[in-house]
Amino acid sequence: MSADYDLAVVGSGFAGSLLAMIARRLGKSVILLERGKHPRFAIGESTTPLSNLLLEELATRYDLPNLLPLCKWGTWRQTHPELACGLKRGFTFYHHQPGREPQRDDQLLVAASPRDAIADTHWYRADVDSFFVREAQRAGVDYREEVRLNSAREHDGGIAIEGERLAVTARFVVDATGPRGFLHRALALPEFPLPDMPPTQALYTHFTDVGRLDKIDNPPYPVDDAAVHHIFDGGWIWVLRFANGITSAGAAAAFSVGEGESAWRRLVDRFPAIRRQFASAKAVMPFVHAPRLSFRSGTIAGRRWALLPSAAGFVDPLLSTGFPLTLLGVSRLAQVIEHGWESPALSTYARQTEDELLATARLIGALYASMDNFPVFVSLSLLYFAAASFSETARRLGKPHLAGSFLLHDNPRFQMQPILERARTVRNDVESRSLSDEIRRFIEPFNVAGLGDPERRNWYPADAEDMLRTAPKLGASREDVARVLDRCGFQAAG
Ligand SMILES: Cc1cc2nc3c(=O)[nH]c(=O)nc-3n(C[C@H](O)[C@H](O)[C@H](O)COP(=O)(O)OP(=O)(O)OC[C@H]3O[C@@H](n4cnc5c(N)ncnc54)[C@H](O)[C@@H]3O)c2cc1C
């Protein structure tokens, strides 16, 4: 096959398919090239309020109404019961020490939504990515799967991609193949280290029969209907339940986790509560061992090509930063497509993608360094939750300029680096309390979720009053915020 397109997208995860659909809506001819065949397993499953909002904004702006139901648990289950997903009401953290049960002070519970209908989801990627590819095809994207690509070569008018029985030329190529992906190899791009991030690895699979955690009285949301993070010295385990009986679970760690089921058992057996949760669990596919988890490509865009954020780098599954970073990138590349490949937006895209990756790495690196000190870990996590909830509210109020970058990293009043450095020096309870006070003061101008209130003892419900009361921080009135809450169905009808 030999053909000529405006845009070639390599890799048909949800992000490649989404960008391909958008380009079609913008009137471009598009080919989408996939190495595998759908449906297929993919990791990266947990959404956040910000990632769902970004998807909603893209689906609305580029007239992709079929994607809208996937932005909330309630509409998803009503409209697409055939696509598996899981309910994510918040972020659950338990701190573990070998041989010891976690206590009340070992918990951090941050609600992301007040009720199931408007909650976030975990995506069962085999189903979701197949759906996105079908939607891309419906939008007029040419889709080829099971392709083997060998090379990419820039020339005056565009870029030529060659593979087995395949030659495609395009004016522009977007690489959506994930870390160390197609263009990174084909163009022999350098790999750079991520600042302050330890080398990490992962071991994960899908299970059935994963137990629910012990019942707790009156938590802000059901703790299992969430992204569960089990934190311990040097690493953590995620547990994401899908409604089809499957649970995604895995470990990411700065130490060697080993390979296969025996390594998994050795790890979970160290912690009584996790051992109980996995006592009857059965892996339904082989364990995946990723020996080098984090990644950063030294170059993100050229004259005729760009890596999506998910191909340009990856930090860690902690805090589900992959989807929002990727969707911000899709949104910016959509602008590049709208305004022309030669527009300055492309170099801005590369710079923003790199800056956001580095800011994420610095925060997550500091979180790794504090996994043996839960009070510090909690305080640092509030930086993320403050930035994320402020950004979401700003966008919902129609003020995206207040939160133009992930983690507010380009906001001069939200420069986290000195705090992250100080967190690494905390040695005792006094220093830890002083850090926590400093972080409370630091996030105060952005805190729209009551974060750090000592009375809440690290249980944070989704409380409308928190947002109404803090409206002036966003240059808004109580009424403005009340309208936003109404629009997104924050309060149950009736
Ligand atoms: C262990 C782990 C857990 C994660 N958990 C989360 C999470 O909970 N939340 C979150 O937000 N993010 C998470 N992430 C990040 C998340 O996986 C990515 O942000 C997301 O998958 C990006 O989607 P994508 O469509 O860009 O790429 P991918 O999902 O990586 O899809 C890439 C596609 O490209 C195809 N491909 C690869 N090479 C080639 C080639 N040479 N030619 C053609 N096709 C090719 C692949 O087959 C695949 O279909 C996690 C990542 C890891 C590693």
Side-chain angles (χ1 to χ4, degrees), residues 10-16 33-36 38 40 42-47 125 129 147 149 176-179 181-182 202 204 238 240 293 308 310 314 317 320-324 326:
V10 187
S12 68
F14 76 92
L33 300 164
E34 167 60 45
R35 179 178 65 185
H38 290 281
R40 54 92 180 95
I43 196 67
E45 296 152 326
S46 197
T47 68
R125 293 283 300 273
D129 289 10
V147 297
L149 303 180
T177 59
F182 169 62
Y204 55 86
W238 69 86
L240 312 174
L293 194 54
L308 271 192
S310 45
F314 176 65
S320 310
T321 58
F323 284 13
T326 301

mmCIF file of all heavy atoms in Angstrom, residues 10-16 33-36 38 40 42-47 125 129 147 149 176-179 181-182 202 204 238 240 293 308 310 314 317 320-324 326, ligand 1:
data_model
loop_
_atom_site.group_PDB
_atom_site.id
_atom_site.type_symbol
_atom_site.label_atom_id
_atom_site.label_comp_id
_atom_site.label_asym_id
_atom_site.label_seq_id
_atom_site.Cartn_x
_atom_site.Cartn_y
_atom_site.Cartn_z
ATOM 1 N N VAL A 10 0.481 7.524 14.394
ATOM 2 C CA VAL A 10 0.973 6.165 14.636
ATOM 3 C C VAL A 10 0.613 5.790 16.073
ATOM 4 O O VAL A 10 0.990 6.492 17.014
ATOM 5 C CB VAL A 10 2.496 6.073 14.413
ATOM 6 C CG1 VAL A 10 2.960 4.619 14.492
ATOM 7 C CG2 VAL A 10 2.886 6.683 13.080
ATOM 8 N N GLY A 11 -0.105 4.672 16.228
ATOM 9 C CA GLY A 11 -0.529 4.231 17.558
ATOM 10 C C GLY A 11 -1.992 4.549 17.784
ATOM 11 O O GLY A 11 -2.401 5.708 17.732
ATOM 12 N N SER A 12 -2.796 3.495 18.017
ATOM 13 C CA SER A 12 -4.244 3.722 18.187
ATOM 14 C C SER A 12 -4.691 3.394 19.608
ATOM 15 O O SER A 12 -5.675 2.693 19.808
ATOM 16 C CB SER A 12 -5.045 2.917 17.170
ATOM 17 O OG SER A 12 -4.915 1.539 17.466
ATOM 18 N N GLY A 13 -3.940 3.887 20.610
ATOM 19 C CA GLY A 13 -4.531 3.988 21.943
ATOM 20 C C GLY A 13 -5.614 5.052 21.853
ATOM 21 O O GLY A 13 -5.814 5.668 20.797
ATOM 22 N N PHE A 14 -6.312 5.307 22.974
ATOM 23 C CA PHE A 14 -7.413 6.275 22.890
ATOM 24 C C PHE A 14 -6.925 7.629 22.393
ATOM 25 O O PHE A 14 -7.627 8.335 21.675
ATOM 26 C CB PHE A 14 -8.105 6.436 24.258
ATOM 27 C CG PHE A 14 -7.332 7.270 25.248
ATOM 28 C CD1 PHE A 14 -7.569 8.639 25.337
ATOM 29 C CD2 PHE A 14 -6.376 6.711 26.057
ATOM 30 C CE1 PHE A 14 -6.864 9.430 26.240
ATOM 31 C CE2 PHE A 14 -5.650 7.492 26.959
ATOM 32 C CZ PHE A 14 -5.890 8.848 27.044
ATOM 33 N N ALA A 15 -5.681 7.992 22.742
ATOM 34 C CA ALA A 15 -5.209 9.344 22.417
ATOM 35 C C ALA A 15 -4.928 9.497 20.919
ATOM 36 O O ALA A 15 -5.277 10.520 20.317
ATOM 37 C CB ALA A 15 -3.972 9.677 23.240
ATOM 38 N N GLY A 16 -4.302 8.479 20.310
ATOM 39 C CA GLY A 16 -4.055 8.539 18.864
ATOM 40 C C GLY A 16 -5.372 8.603 18.109
ATOM 41 O O GLY A 16 -5.546 9.408 17.178
ATOM 42 N N LEU A 33 -2.232 4.275 12.172
ATOM 43 C CA LEU A 33 -1.473 3.031 11.975
ATOM 44 C C LEU A 33 -1.225 2.355 13.316
ATOM 45 O O LEU A 33 -0.678 2.969 14.237
ATOM 46 C CB LEU A 33 -0.124 3.347 11.315
ATOM 47 C CG LEU A 33 -0.215 4.029 9.955
ATOM 48 C CD1 LEU A 33 1.128 4.648 9.566
ATOM 49 C CD2 LEU A 33 -0.678 3.031 8.898
ATOM 50 N N GLU A 34 -1.593 1.105 13.432
ATOM 51 C CA GLU A 34 -1.492 0.393 14.717
ATOM 52 C C GLU A 34 -0.698 -0.909 14.533
ATOM 53 O O GLU A 34 -0.960 -1.671 13.605
ATOM 54 C CB GLU A 34 -2.907 0.100 15.242
ATOM 55 C CG GLU A 34 -3.002 -0.883 16.379
ATOM 56 C CD GLU A 34 -2.235 -0.459 17.643
ATOM 57 O OE1 GLU A 34 -2.324 0.714 18.049
ATOM 58 O OE2 GLU A 34 -1.528 -1.325 18.219
ATOM 59 N N ARG A 35 0.210 -1.138 15.467
ATOM 60 C CA ARG A 35 1.024 -2.362 15.427
ATOM 61 C C ARG A 35 0.202 -3.588 15.818
ATOM 62 O O ARG A 35 0.361 -4.668 15.273
ATOM 63 C CB ARG A 35 2.192 -2.176 16.393
ATOM 64 C CG ARG A 35 3.118 -3.342 16.508
ATOM 65 C CD ARG A 35 4.264 -3.029 17.441
ATOM 66 N NE ARG A 35 3.801 -2.811 18.808
ATOM 67 C CZ ARG A 35 4.586 -2.419 19.805
ATOM 68 N NH1 ARG A 35 5.871 -2.180 19.582
ATOM 69 N NH2 ARG A 35 4.112 -2.259 21.017
ATOM 70 N N GLY A 36 -0.678 -3.410 16.812
ATOM 71 C CA GLY A 36 -1.454 -4.551 17.324
ATOM 72 C C GLY A 36 -2.791 -4.678 16.635
ATOM 73 O O GLY A 36 -2.942 -4.287 15.465
ATOM 74 N N HIS A 38 -7.113 -4.541 17.738
ATOM 75 C CA HIS A 38 -8.117 -4.359 18.795
ATOM 76 C C HIS A 38 -9.128 -5.501 18.769
ATOM 77 O O HIS A 38 -9.406 -6.004 17.696
ATOM 78 C CB HIS A 38 -8.853 -3.027 18.579
ATOM 79 C CG HIS A 38 -7.966 -1.842 18.864
ATOM 80 N ND1 HIS A 38 -7.701 -1.403 20.139
ATOM 81 C CD2 HIS A 38 -7.266 -1.016 18.031
ATOM 82 C CE1 HIS A 38 -6.895 -0.349 20.089
ATOM 83 N NE2 HIS A 38 -6.601 -0.095 18.820
ATOM 84 N N ARG A 40 -7.392 -5.161 22.539
ATOM 85 C CA ARG A 40 -6.136 -5.634 23.126
ATOM 86 C C ARG A 40 -5.946 -4.994 24.505
ATOM 87 O O ARG A 40 -6.509 -3.938 24.792
ATOM 88 C CB ARG A 40 -4.940 -5.331 22.199
ATOM 89 C CG ARG A 40 -4.825 -3.860 21.779
ATOM 90 C CD ARG A 40 -3.953 -3.084 22.709
ATOM 91 N NE ARG A 40 -3.797 -1.690 22.365
ATOM 92 C CZ ARG A 40 -4.520 -0.709 22.876
ATOM 93 N NH1 ARG A 40 -5.512 -0.965 23.715
ATOM 94 N NH2 ARG A 40 -4.270 0.558 22.576
ATOM 95 N N ALA A 42 -4.422 -2.864 27.412
ATOM 96 C CA ALA A 42 -3.524 -1.703 27.568
ATOM 97 C C ALA A 42 -3.585 -1.264 29.014
ATOM 98 O O ALA A 42 -4.634 -1.376 29.663
ATOM 99 C CB ALA A 42 -3.940 -0.557 26.642
ATOM 100 N N ILE A 43 -2.486 -0.768 29.523
ATOM 101 C CA ILE A 43 -2.443 -0.276 30.892
ATOM 102 C C ILE A 43 -2.656 1.238 30.862
ATOM 103 O O ILE A 43 -2.487 1.873 29.813
ATOM 104 C CB ILE A 43 -1.120 -0.677 31.590
ATOM 105 C CG1 ILE A 43 -1.215 -0.521 33.105
ATOM 106 C CG2 ILE A 43 0.053 0.132 31.035
ATOM 107 C CD1 ILE A 43 -2.154 -1.460 33.797
ATOM 108 N N GLY A 44 -2.995 1.814 32.035
ATOM 109 C CA GLY A 44 -3.289 3.249 32.088
ATOM 110 C C GLY A 44 -4.798 3.364 32.055
ATOM 111 O O GLY A 44 -5.397 3.480 30.990
ATOM 112 N N GLU A 45 -5.436 3.306 33.237
ATOM 113 C CA GLU A 45 -6.881 3.058 33.250
ATOM 114 C C GLU A 45 -7.693 4.073 34.050
ATOM 115 O O GLU A 45 -8.890 4.199 33.851
ATOM 116 C CB GLU A 45 -7.106 1.648 33.829
ATOM 117 C CG GLU A 45 -6.491 0.567 32.942
ATOM 118 C CD GLU A 45 -6.069 -0.689 33.684
ATOM 119 O OE1 GLU A 45 -5.639 -0.585 34.853
ATOM 120 O OE2 GLU A 45 -6.148 -1.770 33.083
ATOM 121 N N SER A 46 -7.027 4.797 34.959
ATOM 122 C CA SER A 46 -7.790 5.582 35.918
ATOM 123 C C SER A 46 -7.900 7.047 35.484
ATOM 124 O O SER A 46 -6.888 7.704 35.246
ATOM 125 C CB SER A 46 -7.105 5.494 37.279
ATOM 126 O OG SER A 46 -7.984 5.883 38.269
ATOM 127 N N THR A 47 -9.137 7.554 35.411
ATOM 128 C CA THR A 47 -9.330 8.950 35.011
ATOM 129 C C THR A 47 -9.403 9.843 36.250
ATOM 130 O O THR A 47 -9.401 9.348 37.384
ATOM 131 C CB THR A 47 -10.626 9.137 34.194
ATOM 132 O OG1 THR A 47 -11.758 8.914 35.045
ATOM 133 C CG2 THR A 47 -10.672 8.201 33.017
ATOM 134 N N ARG A 125 -9.398 -0.706 29.113
ATOM 135 C CA ARG A 125 -8.868 -0.153 27.872
ATOM 136 C C ARG A 125 -9.139 -1.027 26.646
ATOM 137 O O ARG A 125 -9.217 -0.506 25.528
ATOM 138 C CB ARG A 125 -7.368 0.126 28.028
ATOM 139 C CG ARG A 125 -7.017 1.243 29.009
ATOM 140 C CD ARG A 125 -7.265 2.617 28.415
ATOM 141 N NE ARG A 125 -6.500 2.872 27.216
ATOM 142 C CZ ARG A 125 -5.260 3.369 27.185
ATOM 143 N NH1 ARG A 125 -4.647 3.685 28.313
ATOM 144 N NH2 ARG A 125 -4.639 3.581 26.037
ATOM 145 N N ASP A 129 -10.519 1.507 24.022
ATOM 146 C CA ASP A 129 -9.681 1.838 22.861
ATOM 147 C C ASP A 129 -10.301 1.312 21.566
ATOM 148 O O ASP A 129 -10.204 1.956 20.516
ATOM 149 C CB ASP A 129 -8.255 1.297 23.053
ATOM 150 C CG ASP A 129 -7.483 2.088 24.122
ATOM 151 O OD1 ASP A 129 -8.106 2.911 24.822
ATOM 152 O OD2 ASP A 129 -6.269 1.884 24.252
ATOM 153 N N VAL A 147 0.353 -3.398 11.508
ATOM 154 C CA VAL A 147 1.383 -2.897 10.591
ATOM 155 C C VAL A 147 2.746 -2.982 11.276
ATOM 156 O O VAL A 147 2.845 -2.885 12.500
ATOM 157 C CB VAL A 147 1.128 -1.429 10.153
ATOM 158 C CG1 VAL A 147 -0.160 -1.305 9.379
ATOM 159 C CG2 VAL A 147 1.138 -0.480 11.330
ATOM 160 N N LEU A 149 6.155 -1.019 11.130
ATOM 161 C CA LEU A 149 6.803 0.165 10.561
ATOM 162 C C LEU A 149 8.304 0.097 10.819
ATOM 163 O O LEU A 149 8.735 -0.300 11.909
ATOM 164 C CB LEU A 149 6.232 1.429 11.209
ATOM 165 C CG LEU A 149 4.720 1.606 11.095
ATOM 166 C CD1 LEU A 149 4.273 2.897 11.773
ATOM 167 C CD2 LEU A 149 4.276 1.611 9.627
ATOM 168 N N ALA A 176 1.790 8.466 18.610
ATOM 169 C CA ALA A 176 0.956 8.173 19.792
ATOM 170 C C ALA A 176 1.234 6.743 20.236
ATOM 171 O O ALA A 176 0.331 6.010 20.634
ATOM 172 C CB ALA A 176 -0.515 8.369 19.439
ATOM 173 N N THR A 177 2.518 6.317 20.153
ATOM 174 C CA THR A 177 2.840 4.909 20.425
ATOM 175 C C THR A 177 3.342 4.677 21.841
ATOM 176 O O THR A 177 3.787 3.581 22.167
ATOM 177 C CB THR A 177 3.891 4.368 19.428
ATOM 178 O OG1 THR A 177 5.077 5.170 19.532
ATOM 179 C CG2 THR A 177 3.385 4.395 18.011
ATOM 180 N N GLY A 178 3.301 5.691 22.697
ATOM 181 C CA GLY A 178 3.727 5.492 24.083
ATOM 182 C C GLY A 178 5.241 5.644 24.238
ATOM 183 O O GLY A 178 5.957 5.958 23.283
ATOM 184 N N PRO A 179 5.724 5.423 25.476
ATOM 185 C CA PRO A 179 7.146 5.641 25.769
ATOM 186 C C PRO A 179 8.054 4.758 24.906
ATOM 187 O O PRO A 179 7.717 3.617 24.612
ATOM 188 C CB PRO A 179 7.270 5.227 27.242
ATOM 189 C CG PRO A 179 5.885 5.311 27.788
ATOM 190 C CD PRO A 179 4.959 5.022 26.654
ATOM 191 N N GLY A 181 8.679 4.813 21.880
ATOM 192 C CA GLY A 181 7.828 4.341 20.793
ATOM 193 C C GLY A 181 8.451 4.521 19.418
ATOM 194 O O GLY A 181 9.680 4.629 19.267
ATOM 195 N N PHE A 182 7.556 4.598 18.408
ATOM 196 C CA PHE A 182 8.005 4.497 17.018
ATOM 197 C C PHE A 182 9.006 5.582 16.620
ATOM 198 O O PHE A 182 10.129 5.288 16.195
ATOM 199 C CB PHE A 182 6.783 4.511 16.090
ATOM 200 C CG PHE A 182 7.163 4.664 14.646
ATOM 201 C CD1 PHE A 182 7.948 3.704 14.023
ATOM 202 C CD2 PHE A 182 6.754 5.778 13.925
ATOM 203 C CE1 PHE A 182 8.323 3.863 12.690
ATOM 204 C CE2 PHE A 182 7.115 5.932 12.600
ATOM 205 C CZ PHE A 182 7.905 4.980 11.981
ATOM 206 N N ALA A 202 7.893 -1.683 37.375
ATOM 207 C CA ALA A 202 6.505 -2.035 37.699
ATOM 208 C C ALA A 202 6.246 -3.507 37.434
ATOM 209 O O ALA A 202 6.925 -4.147 36.613
ATOM 210 C CB ALA A 202 5.536 -1.181 36.878
ATOM 211 N N TYR A 204 2.565 -5.783 37.058
ATOM 212 C CA TYR A 204 1.104 -5.616 37.121
ATOM 213 C C TYR A 204 0.375 -6.635 36.263
ATOM 214 O O TYR A 204 0.962 -7.272 35.373
ATOM 215 C CB TYR A 204 0.714 -4.200 36.693
ATOM 216 C CG TYR A 204 1.218 -3.769 35.321
ATOM 217 C CD1 TYR A 204 0.508 -4.071 34.169
ATOM 218 C CD2 TYR A 204 2.406 -3.060 35.192
ATOM 219 C CE1 TYR A 204 0.956 -3.654 32.922
ATOM 220 C CE2 TYR A 204 2.870 -2.641 33.951
ATOM 221 C CZ TYR A 204 2.140 -2.932 32.824
ATOM 222 O OH TYR A 204 2.602 -2.532 31.590
ATOM 223 N N TRP A 238 -1.304 -0.115 43.154
ATOM 224 C CA TRP A 238 -2.628 0.427 42.774
ATOM 225 C C TRP A 238 -3.639 -0.708 42.677
ATOM 226 O O TRP A 238 -3.285 -1.834 42.331
ATOM 227 C CB TRP A 238 -2.571 1.211 41.464
ATOM 228 C CG TRP A 238 -2.326 0.398 40.229
ATOM 229 C CD1 TRP A 238 -3.252 -0.256 39.457
ATOM 230 C CD2 TRP A 238 -1.045 0.167 39.599
ATOM 231 N NE1 TRP A 238 -2.636 -0.865 38.386
ATOM 232 C CE2 TRP A 238 -1.287 -0.631 38.453
ATOM 233 C CE3 TRP A 238 0.257 0.552 39.886
ATOM 234 C CZ2 TRP A 238 -0.266 -1.052 37.607
ATOM 235 C CZ3 TRP A 238 1.280 0.135 39.037
ATOM 236 C CH2 TRP A 238 1.007 -0.646 37.921
ATOM 237 N N LEU A 240 -7.560 -0.979 41.051
ATOM 238 C CA LEU A 240 -8.650 -0.299 40.315
ATOM 239 C C LEU A 240 -9.684 -1.352 39.933
ATOM 240 O O LEU A 240 -9.373 -2.267 39.158
ATOM 241 C CB LEU A 240 -8.111 0.364 39.045
ATOM 242 C CG LEU A 240 -6.841 1.221 39.153
ATOM 243 C CD1 LEU A 240 -6.376 1.664 37.759
ATOM 244 C CD2 LEU A 240 -7.102 2.447 40.022
ATOM 245 N N LEU A 293 10.359 2.098 34.123
ATOM 246 C CA LEU A 293 9.014 2.661 34.006
ATOM 247 C C LEU A 293 9.043 4.105 33.512
ATOM 248 O O LEU A 293 8.382 4.461 32.551
ATOM 249 C CB LEU A 293 8.340 2.579 35.388
ATOM 250 C CG LEU A 293 6.846 2.791 35.444
ATOM 251 C CD1 LEU A 293 6.124 1.851 34.496
ATOM 252 C CD2 LEU A 293 6.337 2.571 36.866
ATOM 253 N N LEU A 308 3.154 12.758 21.042
ATOM 254 C CA LEU A 308 2.147 13.085 22.053
ATOM 255 C C LEU A 308 2.835 13.073 23.416
ATOM 256 O O LEU A 308 3.850 12.391 23.588
ATOM 257 C CB LEU A 308 1.050 12.017 22.073
ATOM 258 C CG LEU A 308 -0.151 12.166 21.174
ATOM 259 C CD1 LEU A 308 -1.230 11.165 21.593
ATOM 260 C CD2 LEU A 308 -0.720 13.568 21.209
ATOM 261 N N SER A 310 2.241 11.379 25.902
ATOM 262 C CA SER A 310 2.403 9.992 26.369
ATOM 263 C C SER A 310 3.530 9.271 25.647
ATOM 264 O O SER A 310 4.014 8.234 26.117
ATOM 265 C CB SER A 310 1.085 9.235 26.181
ATOM 266 O OG SER A 310 0.553 9.516 24.904
ATOM 267 N N PHE A 314 6.982 9.545 30.431
ATOM 268 C CA PHE A 314 6.067 8.972 31.408
ATOM 269 C C PHE A 314 6.752 9.014 32.763
ATOM 270 O O PHE A 314 7.928 8.658 32.877
ATOM 271 C CB PHE A 314 5.689 7.530 31.047
ATOM 272 C CG PHE A 314 4.815 6.905 32.095
ATOM 273 C CD1 PHE A 314 3.543 7.412 32.337
ATOM 274 C CD2 PHE A 314 5.264 5.847 32.862
ATOM 275 C CE1 PHE A 314 2.738 6.874 33.331
ATOM 276 C CE2 PHE A 314 4.464 5.302 33.851
ATOM 277 C CZ PHE A 314 3.191 5.809 34.090
ATOM 278 N N PRO A 317 2.415 5.876 37.443
ATOM 279 C CA PRO A 317 0.946 5.848 37.551
ATOM 280 C C PRO A 317 0.423 6.645 38.744
ATOM 281 O O PRO A 317 -0.771 6.978 38.769
ATOM 282 C CB PRO A 317 0.614 4.359 37.753
ATOM 283 C CG PRO A 317 1.849 3.599 37.465
ATOM 284 C CD PRO A 317 3.017 4.532 37.561
ATOM 285 N N SER A 320 -2.481 9.342 38.719
ATOM 286 C CA SER A 320 -3.143 9.301 37.395
ATOM 287 C C SER A 320 -2.864 10.554 36.560
ATOM 288 O O SER A 320 -3.790 11.205 36.055
ATOM 289 C CB SER A 320 -4.662 9.152 37.561
ATOM 290 O OG SER A 320 -4.978 8.113 38.433
ATOM 291 N N THR A 321 -1.601 10.891 36.415
ATOM 292 C CA THR A 321 -1.277 12.113 35.657
ATOM 293 C C THR A 321 -1.199 11.871 34.144
ATOM 294 O O THR A 321 -1.200 12.829 33.370
ATOM 295 C CB THR A 321 0.075 12.705 36.119
ATOM 296 O OG1 THR A 321 1.089 11.716 35.954
ATOM 297 C CG2 THR A 321 0.030 13.130 37.571
ATOM 298 N N GLY A 322 -1.131 10.595 33.727
ATOM 299 C CA GLY A 322 -0.929 10.305 32.303
ATOM 300 C C GLY A 322 -2.037 10.848 31.418
ATOM 301 O O GLY A 322 -1.775 11.493 30.386
ATOM 302 N N PHE A 323 -3.300 10.585 31.776
ATOM 303 C CA PHE A 323 -4.410 11.012 30.910
ATOM 304 C C PHE A 323 -4.490 12.541 30.790
ATOM 305 O O PHE A 323 -4.590 13.063 29.678
ATOM 306 C CB PHE A 323 -5.747 10.473 31.428
ATOM 307 C CG PHE A 323 -6.012 9.011 31.168
ATOM 308 C CD1 PHE A 323 -5.018 8.144 30.756
ATOM 309 C CD2 PHE A 323 -7.290 8.490 31.349
ATOM 310 C CE1 PHE A 323 -5.277 6.794 30.531
ATOM 311 C CE2 PHE A 323 -7.566 7.142 31.120
ATOM 312 C CZ PHE A 323 -6.555 6.296 30.716
ATOM 313 N N PRO A 324 -4.484 13.272 31.947
ATOM 314 C CA PRO A 324 -4.600 14.729 31.757
ATOM 315 C C PRO A 324 -3.440 15.312 30.962
ATOM 316 O O PRO A 324 -3.665 16.197 30.116
ATOM 317 C CB PRO A 324 -4.643 15.292 33.183
ATOM 318 C CG PRO A 324 -4.269 14.172 34.086
ATOM 319 C CD PRO A 324 -4.540 12.897 33.368
ATOM 320 N N THR A 326 -1.762 13.855 28.639
ATOM 321 C CA THR A 326 -1.957 13.475 27.231
ATOM 322 C C THR A 326 -3.079 14.292 26.598
ATOM 323 O O THR A 326 -2.957 14.778 25.463
ATOM 324 C CB THR A 326 -2.268 11.968 27.150
ATOM 325 O OG1 THR A 326 -1.165 11.266 27.736
ATOM 326 C CG2 THR A 326 -2.444 11.510 25.726
HETATM 327 C C1 LIG B 1 1.845 0.873 34.674
HETATM 328 C C2 LIG B 1 1.150 2.105 34.176
HETATM 329 C C3 LIG B 1 -0.017 2.535 34.788
HETATM 330 C C4 LIG B 1 -0.641 3.713 34.362
HETATM 331 N N1 LIG B 1 -1.771 4.130 34.990
HETATM 332 C C5 LIG B 1 -2.357 5.290 34.625
HETATM 333 C C6 LIG B 1 -3.544 5.731 35.248
HETATM 334 O O1 LIG B 1 -4.108 5.058 36.107
HETATM 335 N N2 LIG B 1 -4.064 6.925 34.857
HETATM 336 C C7 LIG B 1 -3.486 7.676 33.895
HETATM 337 O O2 LIG B 1 -3.965 8.777 33.628
HETATM 338 N N3 LIG B 1 -2.389 7.244 33.235
HETATM 339 C C8 LIG B 1 -1.818 6.072 33.577
HETATM 340 N N4 LIG B 1 -0.736 5.620 32.888
HETATM 341 C C9 LIG B 1 -0.312 6.360 31.694
HETATM 342 C C10 LIG B 1 -1.216 5.933 30.526
HETATM 343 O O3 LIG B 1 -0.956 4.576 30.251
HETATM 344 C C11 LIG B 1 -0.963 6.757 29.280
HETATM 345 O O4 LIG B 1 -1.086 8.134 29.569
HETATM 346 C C12 LIG B 1 -1.989 6.398 28.204
HETATM 347 O O5 LIG B 1 -2.028 5.019 27.982
HETATM 348 C C13 LIG B 1 -1.641 7.111 26.951
HETATM 349 O O6 LIG B 1 -2.504 6.668 25.943
HETATM 350 P P1 LIG B 1 -2.062 6.638 24.443
HETATM 351 O O7 LIG B 1 -3.267 6.357 23.649
HETATM 352 O O8 LIG B 1 -1.282 7.852 24.122
HETATM 353 O O9 LIG B 1 -0.967 5.489 24.329
HETATM 354 P P2 LIG B 1 -0.998 3.950 24.634
HETATM 355 O O10 LIG B 1 -2.140 3.579 25.454
HETATM 356 O O11 LIG B 1 0.372 3.641 25.133
HETATM 357 O O12 LIG B 1 -1.201 3.277 23.200
HETATM 358 C C14 LIG B 1 -0.151 3.191 22.281
HETATM 359 C C15 LIG B 1 -0.618 2.403 21.064
HETATM 360 O O13 LIG B 1 0.418 2.439 20.094
HETATM 361 C C16 LIG B 1 0.624 1.149 19.549
HETATM 362 N N5 LIG B 1 2.024 1.049 19.099
HETATM 363 C C17 LIG B 1 3.136 0.948 19.862
HETATM 364 N N6 LIG B 1 4.231 0.901 19.061
HETATM 365 C C18 LIG B 1 3.797 0.984 17.780
HETATM 366 C C19 LIG B 1 4.440 0.998 16.524
HETATM 367 N N7 LIG B 1 5.773 0.917 16.406
HETATM 368 N N8 LIG B 1 3.672 1.104 15.424
HETATM 369 C C20 LIG B 1 2.324 1.192 15.509
HETATM 370 N N9 LIG B 1 1.661 1.180 16.673
HETATM 371 C C21 LIG B 1 2.385 1.078 17.799
HETATM 372 C C22 LIG B 1 0.313 0.217 20.717
HETATM 373 O O14 LIG B 1 -0.004 -1.072 20.266
HETATM 374 C C23 LIG B 1 -0.877 0.927 21.363
HETATM 375 O O15 LIG B 1 -2.093 0.544 20.781
HETATM 376 C C24 LIG B 1 -0.098 4.439 33.283
HETATM 377 C C25 LIG B 1 1.044 3.980 32.637
HETATM 378 C C26 LIG B 1 1.666 2.828 33.081
HETATM 379 C C27 LIG B 1 2.909 2.367 32.381
#
